[in-house]
C-alpha cells in the first residue's frame, strides 16, 4: 500500500488532470488522500466526485490553514508502507509509482526521487531536472548540486521515515525542502532516477511564485534550518548562502525587503562566505569563487544606496 497525499486549494482548473494521472497508475494498490484546504471554487466537488467513483480516493475537508497543515492532515491519514506527495496543479506519468518502487527495491535504497519536466501552464517545456541516474550516500549528499532534490514532490518515502515528522506551518516557502531534508537525514542512501515521471507546472498564481516578500523570505529560514540539521555538511551551508545571494539580487529594488530583511539576509551570506569560497575552489569552479568575492563587496554598497 502506498499513500499519495495531495493538498488542494482552489485548483479546479487542474485538479481533474492530477487525479486522473493518479488513478491511471500502473501500480494499483494506492490510497489517494485529497486534502481540500478550504477551497472556495469547485475543488471540493471534484474531490468528492472522484471518491465516489474510486474507493482508493479519500477526501479530507477542512478550513483554509495553508499547505503545511494540509499535508500534515494527509500524513495523519496515510497508511501502508510508503508515502508520496503530488501537488494538485501538477500531474504524473502512468509509471510514476511503479518505477520508483521497483527502483527502490532493486537498488536497495531508502528513498527514491525522480526527475521532473518543468513546464508552464500551456504545457510548454521549460527544463528537465535530472540528467542521470545516481545512487547517493547521505554522507556525500551535495545540497548545492544539480542532483540535490529539494522538494517533497516526486519522491517515494518509507512510512517509518515520516511517522514522527510534520511540515513547519511557519514556513510558507521552503517548508517542503526542510521536510525532505529531515527525511533524508534519517536514512543512509537515496537514488535519483533520470526518467521524468513528474510534471511540475509553473503558473503565476502558484503558492511558491506568488507570495508577498514577507512569505518569500521564509525560504531562507528553511535553509538555515537545513544548514543546522546538516551541520557537518558544508554543502548545506553553501546552498543556504546561494539562496541568500539569489534573494538579495532579486529584491534589491524592493523597499519592503530592503528595510526589513536585506541586512539580516546579507549577514547570513557573510557568515558562510569563507565556506562558499572553499567549496567552489575545491571543485575548481574558479569563476564562481571570483563572482562571490565580488558579490560580498557589492552587498554593503547596495545596502547603503
Amino acid at each position: 500500500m502506498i499513500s499519495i497525499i495531495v493538498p488542494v486549494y482552489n485548483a479546479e482548473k487542474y485538479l481533474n488532470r492530477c487525479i486522473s494521472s493518479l488513478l491511471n497508475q500502473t501500480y494499483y494498490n494506492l490510497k489517494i488522500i485529497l486534502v481540500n484546504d478550504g477551497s472556495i471554487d469547485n475543488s471540493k466537488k471534484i474531490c468528492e466526485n472522484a471518491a465516489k467513483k474510486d474507493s482508493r480516493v479519500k477526501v479530507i475537508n477542512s478550513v483554509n490553514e495553508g499547505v503545511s497543515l494540509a499535508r500534515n492532515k494527509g500524513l495523519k491519514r496515510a497508511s501502508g508502507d510508503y508515502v508520496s506527495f503530488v501537488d494538485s496543479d501538477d500531474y504524473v506519468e502512468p509509471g510514476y509509482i511503479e518505477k520508483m518502487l521497483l527502483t527502490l527495491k532493486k537498488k536497495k535504497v531508502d528513498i527514491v526521487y525522480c526527475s521532473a519536466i518543468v513546464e508552464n501552464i500551456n504545457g510548454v517545456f521549460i527544463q528537465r531536472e535530472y540528467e542521470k541516474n545516481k545512487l547517493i550516500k547521505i554522507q556525500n549528499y551535495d545540497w548545492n548540486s544539480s542532483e540535490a532534490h529539494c522538494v517533497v514532490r516526486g519522491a517515494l518515502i518509507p512510512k517509518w521515515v515520516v511517522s514522527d515528522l510534520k511540515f513547519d506551518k511557519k514556513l510558507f516557502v521552503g517548508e517542503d525542502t526542510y521536510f525532505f531534508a529531515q527525511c533524508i537525514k534519517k536514512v543512509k542512501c537515496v537514488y535519483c532516477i533520470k526518467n521524468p515521471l513528474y510534471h511540475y507546472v509553473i503558473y503565476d498564481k502558484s503558492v511558491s511564485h506568488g507570495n508577498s516578500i514577507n512569505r518569500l523570505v521564509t525560504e531562507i529560514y528553511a535553509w538555515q534550518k537545513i544548514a543546522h540539521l546538516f551541520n557537518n555538511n558544508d554543502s548545506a551551508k553553501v546552498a543556504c548562502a546561494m539562496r541568500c545571494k539569489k534573494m538579495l539580487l532579486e529584491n534589491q529594488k524592493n523597499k519592503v525587503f530592503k528595510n526589513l530583511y536585506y541586512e539580516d539576509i546579507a549577514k547570513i551570506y557573510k557568515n558562510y562566505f569563507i565556506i562558499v569560497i572553499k567549496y567552489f575552489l575545491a571543485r575548481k569552479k574558479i569563476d564562481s569563487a571570483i563572482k562571490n568575492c565580488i558579490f560580498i563587496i557589492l552587498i554593503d554598497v547596495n545596502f547603503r544606496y
Side-chain angles (χ1 to χ4, degrees), residues 48-63:
E48 292 176 343
N49 284 341
K52 290 178 182 178
K53 294 178 181 178
D54 197 307
S55 61
R56 294 177 298 169
V57 178
K58 310 300 177 184
V59 181
I60 300 173
N61 288 310
S62 69
V63 296

Side-chain angles (χ1 to χ4, degrees), residues 156-220:
L156 189 63
I157 307 170
K159 180 70 163 52
W160 68 264
V161 171
V162 302
S163 62
D164 61 343
L165 297 180
K166 290 183 179 180
F167 287 85
D168 189 337
K169 65 180 181 180
K170 295 181 181 179
L171 300 175
F172 297 95
V173 180
E175 80 292 333
D176 58 337
T177 308
Y178 180 51
F179 184 90
F180 189 72
Q182 292 178 89
C183 289
I184 68 169
K185 180 69 174 179
K186 298 173 70 173
V187 303
K188 294 181 178 179
C189 56
V190 298
Y191 195 87
C192 171
I193 300 177
K194 70 177 181 180
N195 289 8
L197 305 174
Y198 193 102
H199 292 261
Y200 174 53
V201 183
I202 295 178
Y203 65 107
D204 292 340
K205 293 183 180 180
S206 69
V207 173
S208 60
H209 297 271
N211 271 312
S212 68
I213 194 63
N214 297 319
R215 295 192 167 204
L216 286 175
V217 295
T218 64
E219 180 184 13
I220 302 302

Side-chain angles (χ1 to χ4, degrees), residues 7-23:
V8 178
Y9 179 69
N10 291 349
E12 63 178 1
K13 292 182 180 179
Y14 322 101
L15 189 53
N16 277 317
R17 178 181 64 184
C18 176
I19 295 173
S20 294
S21 74
L22 298 177
L23 293 176

Side-chain angles (χ1 to χ4, degrees), residues 287-302:
D287 287 348
S288 296
I290 293 173
K291 288 178 181 178
N292 279 279
C293 287
I294 295 172
F295 180 71
I296 200 167
I297 296 172
L298 295 176
I299 284 180
D300 289 332
V301 174
N302 285 337

Side-chain angles (χ1 to χ4, degrees), residues 241-242 245 249 269-270 272-281 285-301:
M242 292 303 96
K245 179 181 178 181
L249 287 171
Y269 175 84
K270 290 179 180 180
Y272 294 142
F273 174 70
I274 298 301
I275 296 174
V276 168
I277 299 304
K278 289 181 178 179
Y279 172 90
F280 286 121
L281 290 178
K285 296 183 178 181
I286 310 301
D287 287 348
S288 296
I290 293 173
K291 288 178 181 178
N292 279 279
C293 287
I294 295 172
F295 180 71
I296 200 167
I297 296 172
L298 295 176
I299 284 180
D300 289 332
V301 174

